[in-house]
Amino acid sequence: MGTTTILDIIGAMIIGGILITTLFRANENAISNNYNFVYELGTQYQLVSIAQQIERDFKRLGYCANPDLVPDPTTTIRLADTSSISFLLDFNLDGVVDSVRYFIGPKSEASATKNPNDRYLYRIINGNSSGALKFLVTTFRLNYFDALGNPIASPVAVRGTIAYMEISVAVESPDAFNLQFSTAFWRQLRLASRNLSNR
Amino acid sequence: MFGKASLIIVLGFSTIFFTLNSNYLRYTTDATQGYTDYYSDINASNIANSGANIACNYVFLNPSWNAGLSNISYSGGTLNVTITTLPKDRVKITSIGVSFGISKTVEVIIQPTSYSKFGNFYNKMSAAPATGDTLDGPVHTNDFLIVHGNPVFLGKTPSKKGIKKLINPSNPVFVGGYQSGVNVPHSYDPDYLKNISLAGGKTFVGVGAKSFVDVDITFNADATVTYKARYGKNKTTWDAWSAPVTTPLNILAPNGVIYIDKGNVTMRGTLSGQATVVTSKRGGDGMGMINIDNDIVYKNDPRSDPASTDMLGLVSEQSVNVTYNAARGNINIHASIYAQNEGLKIDRYGDYPTIKNMNIFGGIVANDLYPTAVYSGLNPTKGYRFIHKYDKRFLSAAPPKFPTTGTYEVISWLE
């Protein structure tokens, strides 16, 4: 084996090493991008789903198929603070008034995910926690305003003054490559249920 | 050899990158698609809501409008509206908005606004709610809402001209919200109510030259009414009273409307059932008044019996008066009261030796707010304290044919 051969082998090893390193790097980037895109997509869809669910329920707030059962809109909202709200709604559109409660749980409940910030947003109908709907979110915040647009301090003592709500929801992916979690944010600036101003 | 390997490597990498890039592009497009769908959803919902608002406006302007709207181009989509009539004079508006193939429906139910829904309604305010006063139920005035200090308004409170504070600081509390610039006409149609009473109620009307009529009514707890009447040429010259007659309320006035044409009525008792007592003035001097000389209450008080259907309306073209009786003590009135020209008045309130309570359970709709007591400083000393509690049933129900404002209100909005 001559010097040339040795140089060829060394050169081949260097070039091969560079190529393999490049391949590993490309593979890592591909995996990273793949994770990010998949989680980004999932996060976006999850946020749209949560937003549609919240809008559907909150816009119907105070509705009943039998309007005579909810004669006083000032009593529709039973509890209101920054992280939870309870209100009356004919949920099944069957003429029976139901109680709907949205609230956010502690971070410890979502410990199965790798995201340390996420927690469950619950929706409970008529106090039936076993049938609760729950979403993974990182932020769920409610702000309240009166008919003149003035903010109302939370928790709201006189719920009848609530005319508008600002709802903020943020969602992050439950897992991520290198803990780079995908994030999506939705805010409804002034959501007003028409039923709050009935009669 | 080296050239072939390079080609394979280049082609291999290109294939991998094209595949990955294609996937990334699809993910990005899908993520955007989620928001596009959300936008389409919101746009369809907005179109449907707009259609419902447009239809509400048509009905408010013309209550007989039922043509609906068909295939109207609106905000990048189309809207269709249908109108359906429901019992209790209610109207259902169904509006369907379509945007980018997504359809959304809004259903709205509206009904004529009855004056009975107001806890307090004053066309003008000559007196002011003050610190310590709590006004229960919806409040409205076509004047300035005059306040003295910090009264509490528990219901929705619109006024036409805004708020006038007699002292500073004055911080009224609006539990049900406040709105300015709202005008609600204060009028009713005596002919309409007379026709209702002629069609299935009881009508007291003078005969010939004796066109004035004076009626005395006692509601009995067994769902009967004892009444008598007398007729006259003017407010001072009367025939003798007729013999008292006792008859079931639903026989006397099957539709619940008891109408006194160009006359007055004096009443008291315990009501079992539903009735609206109406007096008209029709140019008769001193006529059109409802006089209450003792308690007039429901047999089943809805505060203790929520299933109670007992309901009384008092509709006066002139005024509703609590007659002077120094020996009477407290007085309880369960009714929604409407007075066109004046309001609820206490006769000779300054002549009472002490202060008593006037407990009103229902509502007051009047041209003006009148004093009921003589005050020494902030304390009433003679006459009657005005103690009002709103009958919440009037938010969704009304005494028989109680006057309406001529406008509609939304009672249900489903989207």
Side-chain angles (χ1 to χ4, degrees), chain A residues 23 30 44 60 68 195 199, chain B residues 35 88 90 156 413 415:
Chain A
L23 275 173
Q44 302 284 3
R60 289 181 174 181
D68 295 339
N195 294 300
R199 296 193 166 93
Chain B
Y35 282 105
K88 300 185 185 177
R90 290 174 174 173
K156 193 174 173 180
W413 190 288
E415 58 177 286

Side-chain angles (χ1 to χ4, degrees), chain B residues 223-256:
Chain B
T224 63
V225 184
T226 300
Y227 67 92
K228 58 185 180 180
R230 60 179 182 174
Y231 302 91
K233 293 179 178 176
N234 53 51
K235 66 177 180 181
T236 55
T237 309
W238 297 99
D239 290 346
W241 285 102
S242 64
V245 176
T246 299
T247 185
L249 174 60
N250 60 4
I251 300 294
L252 178 71
N255 67 14

Side-chain angles (χ1 to χ4, degrees), chain B residues 22 82 86 92 156 158-159 182 195 209 227 237 257 259 311 323 341 370 376 384 399:
Chain B
S22 168
T82 54
L86 301 176
K92 181 179 178 182
K156 193 174 173 180
S159 74
V182 179
N195 290 334
Y227 67 92
T237 309
V257 177
Y259 188 93
M311 207 172 269
T323 58
N341 294 342
Y370 289 86
S376 173
Y384 279 90

Side-chain angles (χ1 to χ4, degrees), chain B residues 96-238:
Chain B
I96 300 172
V98 180
S99 173
F100 298 104
I102 293 178
S103 174
K104 289 285 176 182
T105 302
V106 170
E107 291 181 355
V108 182
I109 299 177
I110 58 178
Q111 71 177 9
T113 303
S114 172
Y115 282 111
S116 65
K117 85 164 196 178
F118 293 103
N120 288 268
F121 177 115
Y122 302 106
N123 205 35
K124 57 183 178 180
M125 291 189 77
S126 300
T131 302
D133 288 346
T134 300
L135 282 78
D136 196 9
V139 175
H140 178 84
T141 176
N142 289 324
D143 199 345
F144 284 103
L145 180 67
I146 304 172
V147 295
H148 186 282
N150 310 324
V152 177
F153 298 85
L154 294 178
K156 193 174 173 180
T157 307
S159 74
K160 182 179 179 182
K161 298 180 179 175
I163 299 173
K164 185 181 282 185
K165 298 176 179 178
L166 294 186
I167 59 169
N168 271 316
S170 285
N171 295 299
V173 179
F174 298 105
V175 176
Y178 170 78
Q179 189 178 0
S180 65
V182 179
N183 181 59
V184 178
H186 177 238
S187 67
Y188 80 108
D189 182 358
D191 288 336
Y192 171 76
L193 288 172
K194 185 177 181 181
N195 290 334
I196 294 285
S197 73
L198 289 170
K202 174 64 178 176
T203 309
F204 293 93
V205 60
V207 182
K210 296 175 181 175
S211 60
F212 289 63
V213 59
D214 194 13
V215 179
D216 185 281
I217 291 177
T218 302
F219 287 108
N220 304 310
D222 60 358
T224 63
V225 184
T226 300
Y227 67 92
K228 58 185 180 180
R230 60 179 182 174
Y231 302 91
K233 293 179 178 176
N234 53 51
K235 66 177 180 181
T236 55
T237 309
W238 297 99

